[in-house]
Amino acid sequence: MGPRLLLLLPPLGCLALLLPPPGAAEFSPSLDSDFTFTLPAGRKECFYQPMRKEASLELEYQVLDGAGLDVDFHLLSPKGETLVFDERKSDGVHTVETEDGDYMFCFDNTFSTISEKVIFFELILDNMGEDGQDEEDWKKYVTGTDLLDMKLEDILESINSVKARLSKSVQIQTLLRAFEARDRNIQESNFDRVNFWSMVNLGVMVVVSAVQVYMLKSLFEDKRKSRT
């Protein structure tokens, strides 16, 4: 089941927290999750991710659209300590070794008063305690020391290797889609600018041509009047 998030507005109205409802699944502990959202101008959005001790949290973000393609990023530990602070960057990748508790990461667009930002981020969770349980489940159904001349550890190693490679492939494809979306937004923005300034130049040329025709016509009219 995918991530479920609930939007809560604090009393001051300047900070929006996305919290999972009680008893619901947060970002899936099956290694990775990704999310794309729109951050309005002058706003700050924060998210929480529960983590276990001696696990690993990798977070990658990109600003896909918006003036400047930049945002402030904060990552705080369960104790409220600032682990990462990026000021007005378009992308970033951060990995931290975790302890028990909820990690908070925020995207801050309060420095912008006009432009909203479209932000993509991906969470990759490692060592969340499931692999050990999978290994115990395998051992319940295996008897003896060999299974078709292959040890249980070899089977688990092969499966984990395939699983890791598949996860890496999915991660790379997700990042490529994010890069493609950002490049497409930049190209569309440039296309609109080229069209706008082309129309401005066309308008200036029409005005200048009209003025020149009028000036030439007025010169000839003055000469005819002076002769009469």
Side-chain angles (χ1 to χ4, degrees):
M1 180 177 65
R4 296 176 56 190
L5 299 173
L6 178 62
L7 177 63
L8 300 178
L9 295 178
L12 296 179
C14 61
L15 175 63
L17 302 181
L18 292 178
L19 293 171
E26 297 87 6
F27 290 109
S28 173
S30 59
L31 292 184
D32 66 89
S33 297
D34 57 83
F35 188 44
T36 302
F37 71 101
T38 300
L39 180 59
R43 292 290 299 275
K44 180 178 180 181
E45 298 282 358
C46 292
F47 303 83
Y48 288 92
Q49 174 58 51
M51 294 299 297
R52 299 181 180 180
K53 186 178 181 181
E54 297 181 352
S56 175
L57 169 63
E58 180 179 346
L59 191 149
E60 177 165 355
Y61 69 91
Q62 295 179 20
V63 182
L64 302 182
D65 194 15
L69 293 177
D70 55 357
V71 73
D72 290 344
F73 173 77
H74 306 259
L75 176 61
L76 284 76
S77 70
K79 298 179 181 179
E81 301 173 349
T82 299
L83 302 178
V84 176
F85 173 63
D86 291 341
E87 185 175 4
R88 303 193 68 168
K89 289 190 175 181
S90 60
D91 56 72
V93 181
H94 302 287
T95 304
V96 295
E97 301 298 324
T98 63
E99 57 187 21
D100 289 330
D102 295 338
Y103 283 76
M104 182 176 72
F105 53 98
C106 301
F107 299 94
D108 190 351
N109 193 32
T110 54
F111 60 84
S112 177
T113 58
I114 301 177
S115 176
E116 64 180 17
K117 307 294 173 63
V118 178
I119 299 175
F120 162 84
F121 68 86
E122 181 178 21
L123 292 176
I124 301 175
L125 314 179
D126 290 326
N127 302 325
M128 293 297 287
E130 291 190 344
D131 291 340
Q133 183 65 36
D134 293 340
E135 183 175 349
E136 293 298 326
D137 293 338
W138 272 86
K139 290 180 178 180
K140 293 178 182 179
Y141 298 100
V142 177
T143 58
T145 58
D146 294 326
L147 179 61
L148 298 178
D149 298 329
M150 181 179 291
K151 294 182 180 179
L152 173 62
E153 288 77 8
D154 297 332
I155 299 175
L156 291 176
E157 182 178 357
S158 300
I159 294 176
N160 289 332
S161 176
V162 173
K163 182 180 179 181
R165 293 181 180 181
L166 289 175
S167 299
K168 190 65 176 180
S169 299
V170 172
Q171 178 189 0
I172 293 175
Q173 291 176 356
T174 302
L175 294 179
L176 290 176
R177 287 197 299 269
F179 279 119
E180 180 185 0
R182 183 173 66 178
D183 293 341
R184 183 173 63 251
N185 290 330
I186 294 175
Q187 292 175 359
E188 291 177 353
S189 177
N190 292 337
F191 179 74
D192 292 337
R193 291 180 181 178
V194 169
N195 287 338
F196 172 76
W197 287 111
S198 297
M199 294 301 297
V200 171
N201 291 333
L202 180 60
V204 171
M205 291 175 62
V206 171
V207 172
V208 171
S209 300
V211 171
Q212 289 178 345
V213 170
Y214 174 77
M215 294 297 295
L216 290 173
K217 184 178 179 181
S218 63
L219 290 175
F220 285 107
E221 288 179 352
D222 291 339
K223 288 181 179 181
R224 288 196 299 269
K225 289 180 181 179
S226 61
R227 290 177 182 178
T228 58

